[in-house]
Amino acid sequence: MALAAGEVSRLRTTVASLRLAVLQFMADPQWLVPSMIAPVIFGLVSFELFRGAGPYFLTYAILGAGMMSMWGQTLYGSGWATGQDRVFGTLEPTIQSPSPYLYVVLGRILWNIVIGLVGGGIVYGVVVVAAGGPPALPNPALFVVLFLFVMVTLASVGVLFAAAYVYTRYAGFIQNIGEFAFYVGTGCMFPVILLPFWTNPIALLFPPTWALDALRYVSIPGYTGFGWGWQVDLVGAVVSTAVYAGIAGGIFHRVERHVLEVGNLSEY
Amino acid sequence: MSDDAAIEVRDLVRVFESRKGFLFREVVRTEALKGVNLRVRAGSIFGLLGPNGAGKTTLVKILSTLLLPTSGTAQVLGHDVTRETDWLRPRIGLVLGGERGLYSRINARENLRYFADLYGIPVSERERRITEVLERVDLSSAADRRVEEYSRGMKQKLHIARGILHRPAILFLDEPTIGLDPKSARETRKLVRSLIQDGVTILLTTHYMFEAEELCPELAVLSRGRVVAHDTIPGLRSRVGGDRTIEAEAYGFEDREVDALRALPGVSKVASEEYGPRTRLTLRMRTGVTGVEHVKAALREHPELTIRERRTSVEDVYLDLVEEEAS
């Protein structure tokens, strides 16, 4: 029955990991707080924050709070799940199995994307109810497509956090420091262009910055952003996400080798 | 690698580096394995004995592809553990045991289902195989309970179920009965014995001597990162000077009495230990040369003498070897 690693389906590993993530989510009611209750609070705070800030304040409120909710789930959750593997002591048997760990991470990220989208949906609902009606979106279809793509770009950064958690038990330290800086720096709460100019080149190193700028272009008429239009943003987001995916593939291989050299897989 | 060897290790060294201090970090090097040589026959249960910190778990982790050696070579099933991990991992079962290592908020069946997928067990066989291993480890009735509700013994059984789920050719069991109550430990040993009938090669680490004696026809003693002995149990007994042990206790012995005992034919070792006011002399000897009556005769000046003869246990062998290595 034993199979070579090449024979273990990557898709099956991903689906198994996704399934496990769902089961663990269902088994642990404390997740209701960040995934269901927090978006309601984010939505209300964002609504009050942007109220009266121009004709498209509703869109700003939805994007700001929605991204805050999804950012945490998709990026933070992806890395945190690997940190939990260390705590549970399941990292060793998982790495020892023939399945590449990258695909285990991928399954978790898919689930985090789903939960992030649910959070985004809750924010949308709360803001719409608070405002008494939905925002005016010039191109709803394109908005939805770009919204989903933003999740993919967030996930591409999340993979690197997961790699950091495999690399060292101290990854939580890096993530806790980086989380808010990335959140502001990539334009989740408000456009990056509002930040000091010197931060913009740094922000453009991250795929979500491009995707979020594109999303604002298509949802807020008159939005100028970086000034090069949503199409350029989209190309930038696709290219940078592809680069991140490539880096993640390479990094996971090296990280797995590194932890076998150092022997820290059982540390937590 | 020899034809019938499942494991062959040559000059294996593993050094761990850790860092101390915050600003001025000092690198501390710990040599966990110092040139280990080992050969394990296919289809056998091989015992690896050693005190805490001897390097047993380090060796198991290297052999199961979870750790890279600093130098030396290790082959499992004829394949190098550092270069041929893709080939080896599906063929290796690893049971590290303990409270950790399982997803505690989900049930046993789901834990096994997840690992069955990671090991690529065909979907058509998966459920049947999970049921089979759960029955084998006697967890069928608890299969749908959350693992967090399990006792330590049940968790250990689940660890073993996961280790054998994909029908590995070789199974590494790292201290499988540690922390278990006597009943659970006995059940676990029974389970381990039954696995050998499936043709699985088992490497078992333990520091319970009776367990090694009960399960392993051949074993190695690891002490301070070195193999200090590698033999069958009778071979190890003769190595420490005999298969019989006589223990004599009294309120102190004269040096001349100890010398007289040492001079008895077939006596290879006389060790003395203080037990409060009493002293115990332990004599290691071969069967049929010197008996209890000879020892009694040599110690006839002690009316309070208590004496007993028994078979040299693996524990005796182990303690002799570890003390020898330490000295």
Side-chain angles (χ1 to χ4, degrees):
Chain A
M1 185 188 283
L3 300 169
E7 292 173 70
V8 177
S9 157
R10 289 167 179 182
L11 176 65
R12 193 168 164 202
T13 301
T14 308
V15 172
S17 170
L18 170 64
R19 191 165 183 280
L20 180 76
V22 175
L23 288 169
Q24 287 190 291
F25 180 87
M26 299 297 181
D28 192 354
Q30 67 171 325
W31 275 108
L32 286 173
V33 176
S35 55
M36 306 292 161
I37 298 169
V40 175
I41 297 163
F42 292 160
L44 290 172
V45 169
S46 189
F47 176 76
E48 289 302 327
L49 202 67
F50 287 103
R51 195 209 291 258
Y56 294 98
F57 85 94
L58 267 188
T59 312
Y60 273 110
I62 289 167
L63 286 178
M67 286 305 141
M68 188 161 192
S69 170
M70 294 189 300
W71 169 262
Q73 284 300 327
T74 311
L75 190 142
Y76 192 81
S78 305
W80 187 82
T82 300
Q84 284 297 95
D85 254 347
R86 274 190 179 277
V87 176
F88 296 153
T90 42
L91 190 58
E92 279 189 321
T94 309
I95 294 275
Q96 204 274 327
S97 79
S99 289
Y101 194 72
L102 175 62
Y103 294 91
V104 173
V105 170
L106 203 59
R108 288 171 182 161
I109 285 177
L110 287 175
W111 175 241
N112 286 326
I113 286 177
V114 171
I115 292 297
L117 284 173
V118 170
I122 292 171
V123 165
Y124 182 85
V126 166
V127 174
V128 166
V129 168
L137 288 173
N139 192 339
L142 192 56
F143 175 86
V144 170
V145 170
L146 284 173
F147 196 84
L148 287 169
F149 189 67
V150 167
M151 301 300 289
V152 176
T153 61
L154 287 172
S156 71
V157 184
V159 179
L160 298 187
F161 274 109
Y165 271 100
V166 177
Y167 188 84
T168 173
R169 60 177 159 166
Y170 300 115
F173 177 71
I174 304 163
Q175 182 160 315
N176 286 337
I177 290 175
E179 190 185 19
F180 192 70
F182 285 163
Y183 172 65
V184 174
T186 55
C188 275
M189 190 70 191
F190 44 76
V192 173
I193 207 75
L194 298 178
L195 294 171
F197 178 74
W198 64 267
T199 63
N200 291 187
I202 299 167
L204 288 170
L205 293 174
F206 301 102
T209 308
W210 298 85
L212 281 161
D213 201 54
L215 189 61
R216 286 199 172 91
Y217 267 120
V218 301
S219 50
I220 302 165
Y223 175 77
T224 51
F226 289 112
W228 48 51
W230 70 268
Q231 295 90 342
V232 174
D233 270 337
L234 187 59
V235 171
V238 170
V239 170
S240 57
T241 302
V243 169
Y244 268 60
I247 291 171
I251 274 186
F252 260 92
H253 185 71
R254 285 175 189 214
V255 162
E256 281 188 44
R257 189 81 187 166
H258 169 82
V259 291
L260 300 188
E261 280 169 7
V262 176
N264 68 352
L265 277 174
S266 59
E267 291 174 0
Y268 61 100
Chain B
M1 184 156 170
S2 328
D3 287 346
D4 67 336
I7 298 172
E8 196 143 1
V9 172
R10 285 178 201 271
D11 305 322
L12 204 67
V13 173
R14 171 67 209 200
V15 178
F16 286 99
E17 286 186 355
S18 56
R19 285 167 173 76
K20 275 184 178 173
F22 184 69
L23 284 178
F24 303 100
R25 305 198 84 186
E26 179 197 348
V27 178
V28 180
R29 287 166 56 88
T30 310
E31 215 174 345
L33 297 177
K34 302 169 181 170
V36 168
N37 290 289
L38 198 66
R39 187 177 168 280
V40 176
R41 272 185 307 114
S44 65
I45 306 186
F46 186 90
L48 194 59
L49 297 177
N52 290 333
K56 302 186 298 292
T57 302
T58 301
L59 182 57
V60 163
K61 286 189 177 176
I62 290 175
L63 294 175
S64 59
T65 75
L66 272 181
L67 192 62
L68 294 174
T70 306
S71 66
T73 61
Q75 288 196 334
V76 172
L77 305 169
H79 292 260
D80 188 280
V81 296
T82 61
R83 291 193 302 269
E84 296 173 273
T85 51
D86 285 354
W87 190 90
L88 277 170
R89 283 181 173 170
R91 290 164 178 87
I92 288 175
L94 174 65
V95 178
L96 292 173
E99 288 288 338
R100 296 168 68 231
L102 298 163
Y103 291 101
S104 58
R105 290 206 172 102
I106 59 172
N107 65 39
R109 196 181 295 281
E110 287 296 355
N111 266 278
L112 293 178
R113 204 169 272 148
Y114 174 62
F115 281 98
D117 287 337
L118 295 196
Y119 276 90
I121 293 172
V123 178
S124 57
E125 285 182 39
R126 185 180 63 188
E127 298 310 309
R128 188 170 50 78
R129 181 63 184 154
I130 289 170
T131 305
E132 212 171 274
V133 293
L134 284 169
E135 273 170 19
R136 183 139 195 199
V137 299
D138 198 23
L139 279 181
S140 299
S141 57
D144 299 312
R145 274 169 55 194
R146 283 188 181 197
V147 173
E148 65 190 359
E149 295 168 15
Y150 276 24
S151 67
R152 178 75 190 261
M154 291 165 84
K155 282 180 185 164
Q156 195 61 34
K157 285 177 178 178
L158 185 55
H159 277 291
I160 294 175
R162 185 181 59 198
I164 61 173
L165 184 65
H166 56 292
R167 295 197 177 95
I170 189 158
L171 182 64
F172 295 100
L173 295 168
D174 192 23
E175 299 183 348
T177 59
I178 196 164
L180 298 189
D181 63 67
K183 184 172 176 282
S184 304
R186 194 169 59 230
E187 283 172 4
T188 304
R189 283 196 294 276
K190 192 174 157 195
L191 175 64
V192 171
R193 249 194 322 271
S194 75
L195 292 173
I196 205 75
Q197 288 155 13
D198 300 348
V200 183
T201 303
I202 299 174
L203 188 142
L204 175 141
T205 77
T206 182
H207 45 222
Y208 297 141
M209 303 308 131
F210 65 93
E211 185 167 284
E213 191 159 16
E214 188 182 324
L215 293 173
C216 314
E218 192 179 355
L219 45 88
V221 178
L222 201 61
S223 178
R224 299 178 178 200
R226 289 183 215 281
V227 173
V228 294
H230 176 182
D231 212 329
T232 58
I233 288 176
L236 285 173
R237 282 201 179 98
S238 62
R239 189 184 164 129
V240 295
D243 58 343
R244 306 302 299 170
T245 295
I246 292 178
E247 287 171 345
E249 270 185 45
Y251 293 108
F253 295 101
E254 301 288 327
D255 286 347
R256 61 176 173 76
E257 289 173 319
V258 176
D259 291 341
L261 290 176
R262 283 206 177 101
L264 288 172
V267 172
S268 58
K269 181 185 168 186
V270 180
S272 173
E273 269 178 293
E274 302 293 327
Y275 281 92
R278 288 173 76 83
T279 303
R280 179 191 291 169
L281 295 177
T282 304
L283 288 78
R284 207 77 78 215
M285 59 186 60
R286 290 194 308 278
T287 302
V289 185
T290 294
V292 173
E293 64 282 8
H294 300 103
V295 177
K296 276 184 179 165
L299 304 174
R300 58 184 171 277
E301 288 170 22
H302 296 274
E304 81 288 12
L305 181 74
T306 56
I307 194 157
R308 80 185 173 108
E309 185 178 10
R310 58 178 172 80
R311 199 170 67 139
T312 302
S313 67
V314 177
E315 187 162 353
D316 297 320
V317 174
Y318 168 80
L319 291 172
D320 282 1
L321 290 167
V322 171
E323 277 169 21
E324 206 175 282
E325 168 69 13
S327 63

